[in-house]
Amino acid sequence: MKYLSVGQEISLRDHEKRTLEELGECLSHAGWSLRSAGKSIVDDCILTGARKNADALYEVLVPAPHYRSFKKGDPFVLSADAFPFLTQERAISMLEAPSEHVSFRSPYEKKFLITAAALAFGADLKSPTRFALTWLRDNDPKALLKTEDVALFYTLKSRGIPVFNLGNQEHRIRIDTFIEASLKRASSF
């Protein structure tokens, strides 16, 4: 079972960073695998938490090698430009967003769109994420559709994949309840 972290460029307070690390660690112990966009401090904190579990499964999908200093050759980091050509072409066609959000003018923009599809559906485009986590300070319900990840968020919404904004207190409570239930199930085995 995969979940997705898609960080936004915001600054986090120390207690918010700890919350995200604890979330990543709890989800990992509950048997969830992290698929990370590797975009910001939000993703970094969740990934740090997940890595605290020695048995953690995670992957970081990025548009290009060395994106945000990720190391080429790291077995847990997959770069969109390393995907087979047919996968790259199919990836963009799987995005469900208005045409102005899935068009590209440069090869780099194309890599971001390929990465968006891989984040939603996996590098093989056959293993969709079950839910996504992000952190926005704006309580506007349409705030997700105003970010650079608009094609990804439109696709998640159209596929019925829940997106939890951890900057929203109600969403945080729902995630806490979900984690508690997941941990109880995992400990019953």
Side-chain angles (χ1 to χ4, degrees):
M1 297 181 298
K2 299 259 187 200
Y3 74 98
L4 172 63
S5 74
V6 184
Q8 303 303 314
E9 289 300 325
I10 63 170
S11 59
L12 295 173
R13 298 171 190 93
D14 286 342
H15 75 278
E16 293 169 335
K17 291 176 186 177
R18 282 191 303 277
T19 297
L20 289 170
E21 284 185 24
E22 290 170 3
L23 179 60
E25 185 175 12
C26 285
L27 286 167
S28 178
H29 283 295
W32 287 87
S33 299
L34 170 63
R35 179 178 293 148
S36 176
K39 294 180 64 162
S40 73
I41 189 70
V42 173
D43 296 309
D44 296 344
C45 290
I46 293 173
L47 182 59
T48 297
R51 286 177 171 164
K52 288 180 182 178
N53 176 1
D55 297 324
L57 297 174
Y58 60 89
E59 61 189 3
V60 182
L61 303 177
V62 296
H66 308 295
Y67 179 75
R68 284 193 68 231
S69 301
F70 285 104
K71 294 181 178 117
K72 188 174 184 174
D74 182 330
F76 300 104
V77 178
L78 303 171
S79 172
D81 62 354
F83 297 167
F85 176 77
L86 292 177
T87 300
Q88 291 182 31
E89 294 304 306
R90 184 167 171 249
I92 293 175
S93 71
M94 293 177 73
L95 293 171
E96 298 177 24
S99 60
E100 67 268 17
H101 299 296
V102 292
S103 61
F104 54 90
R105 292 176 292 282
S106 73
Y108 202 67
E109 287 177 347
K110 182 178 180 180
K111 287 178 187 180
F112 271 96
L113 291 172
I114 293 165
T115 304
L119 289 167
F121 304 113
D124 62 358
L125 304 178
K126 296 176 184 174
S127 54
T129 188
R130 298 285 297 276
F131 65 92
L133 301 173
T134 193
W135 194 306
L136 294 169
R137 299 231 184 267
D138 190 347
N139 279 327
D140 174 2
K142 294 185 180 183
L144 293 175
L145 303 180
K146 298 175 185 175
T147 72
E148 63 187 26
D149 297 304
V150 66
L152 172 60
F153 288 124
Y154 265 111
T155 300
L156 294 173
K157 182 178 179 183
S158 71
R159 294 291 176 112
I161 299 170
V163 177
F164 296 97
N165 173 12
L166 298 172
N168 177 309
Q169 185 66 25
E170 179 187 329
H171 287 201
R172 234 183 354 253
I173 291 169
R174 289 175 61 196
I175 283 293
D176 288 344
T177 303
F178 173 76
I179 289 172
E180 286 176 26
S182 293
L183 287 171
K184 283 181 186 174
R185 275 193 306 276
S187 66
S188 68
F189 291 107

